[in-house]
Amino acid sequence: DAGITQSPRYKITETGRQVTLMCHQTWSHSYMFWYRQDLGHGLRLIYYSAAADITDKGEVPDGYVVSRSKTENFPLTLESATRSQTSVYFCASSDSLAPSTDTQYFGPGTRLTVL
Amino acid sequence: RKEVEQDPGPFNVPEGATVAFNCTYSNSASQSFFWYRQDCRKEPKLLMSVYSSGNEDGRFTAQLNRASQYISLLIRDSKLSDSATYLCVVNIPYDKVIFGPGTSLSVIP
């Protein structure tokens, strides 16, 4: 029962580099989410996806790109990393048709440092 | 006013104590409410949903006050293993959720 996994778990990169964070879930959940968590801000939604090939912006989408060609994968790409994108990134999924009213299951997180 | 606010704490309580957290929300149209628990350097996990009539799960009781727009979490007989950050989650119409910044609890032997 792998559930939801993220890779890498830790990443250090430099300003201006492109970075891709991977998220994979084995439950066939329809909805997937990307959040970032920073001290004092809690979890903030970056992007979400209701199904394969359907994505939408969250609260803080600038500087990020997502895709969802397969239901089980939802990669997040930082096109040109900036120091302000240093954060812990969590991927989550939900099997509900109305995910705002149901449980979200989180991956273990990726700690990204941009130097 | 932020959409979801919590007292960040930390709350330091002795084992066996009762502790309560409040969370206020600004959108009166919100319909779904949750408490998540997050251990240090781990992912958030659902602790319990909050129902209009209030609900209890063992030592944990959650309540909703729509008139004053807040939800609460009460933990009785605190255990060392309850030490964590507790995140309040509120849905925002339509189909989004907002996570509060969390309240840190440390249960002391």
Side-chain angles (χ1 to χ4, degrees), chain B residues 31 33 50-55 63-66:
Chain B
Q31 294 292 325
F33 310 90
V50 185
Y51 304 126
S52 296
S53 56
N55 49 304
Q63 292 192 315
L64 167 64
N65 185 317
R66 287 192 186 277

Side-chain angles (χ1 to χ4, degrees), chain A:
Chain A
D1 184 6
I4 183 165
T5 57
Q6 293 182 234
S7 62
R9 295 293 312 281
Y10 302 89
K11 178 72 177 179
I12 299 174
T13 191
E14 294 177 337
T15 301
R17 290 191 181 268
Q18 184 180 79
V19 177
T20 296
L21 309 184
M22 305 301 294
C23 179
H24 175 78
Q25 51 111 351
T26 60
W27 295 310
S28 299
H29 285 174
S30 296
Y31 276 85
M32 295 187 75
F33 309 85
W34 274 107
Y35 294 90
R36 60 178 290 174
Q37 187 173 36
D38 305 287
L39 199 62
H41 286 282
L43 284 153
R44 291 182 291 176
L45 182 65
I46 304 171
Y47 269 96
Y48 67 102
S49 169
D53 297 321
I54 301 175
T55 62
D56 209 345
K57 295 178 180 180
E59 181 185 356
V60 289
D62 293 343
Y64 303 95
V65 174
V66 293
S67 62
R68 190 145 178 229
S69 57
K70 293 183 178 181
T71 301
E72 61 266 30
N73 296 323
F74 191 38
L76 175 74
T77 296
L78 288 66
E79 295 183 295
S80 179
T82 65
R83 288 185 181 148
S84 64
Q85 292 177 310
T86 293
S87 186
V88 180
Y89 291 85
F90 286 103
C91 179
S93 70
S94 173
D95 62 353
S96 174
L97 292 177
S100 73
T101 63
D102 210 336
T103 307
Q104 292 190 25
Y105 299 89
F106 285 82
T110 294
R111 293 187 174 273
L112 175 68
T113 300
V114 183
L115 301 175

Side-chain angles (χ1 to χ4, degrees), chain A residues 39-40, chain B residues 5-11 21-22 84-86 100-106:
Chain A
L39 199 62
Chain B
E5 295 190 85
Q6 295 182 252
D7 182 343
F11 285 67
F21 310 134
N22 281 345
T85 297
Y86 291 84
T103 296
S104 175
L105 171 67
S106 290

Side-chain angles (χ1 to χ4, degrees), chain B:
Chain B
R1 181 182 175 187
K2 290 185 178 179
E3 291 182 284
V4 179
E5 295 190 85
Q6 295 182 252
D7 182 343
F11 285 67
N12 299 313
V13 302
E15 271 186 291
T18 296
V19 62
F21 310 134
N22 281 345
C23 165
T24 58
Y25 61 94
S26 61
N27 194 319
S28 59
S30 294
Q31 294 292 325
S32 300
F33 310 90
F34 310 88
W35 284 102
Y36 278 70
R37 171 196 168 124
Q38 185 173 23
D39 293 310
C40 187
R41 302 178 74 86
K42 297 285 190 179
E43 72 273 22
K45 292 183 179 178
L46 180 69
L47 177 66
M48 57 198 305
S49 301
V50 185
Y51 304 126
S52 296
S53 56
N55 49 304
E56 187 174 312
D57 183 2
R59 298 181 293 108
F60 298 84
T61 300
Q63 292 192 315
L64 167 64
N65 185 317
R66 287 192 186 277
S68 300
Q69 294 183 205
Y70 75 86
I71 65 172
S72 64
L73 177 68
L74 181 78
I75 305 175
R76 291 181 299 278
D77 189 21
S78 298
K79 311 291 184 190
L80 295 176
S81 57
D82 294 335
S83 296
T85 297
Y86 291 84
L87 307 176
C88 167
V89 182
V90 177
N91 92 312
I92 306 295
Y94 299 93
D95 229 29
K96 291 183 180 178
V97 293
I98 300 292
F99 283 76
T103 296
S104 175
L105 171 67
S106 290
V107 181
I108 303 164

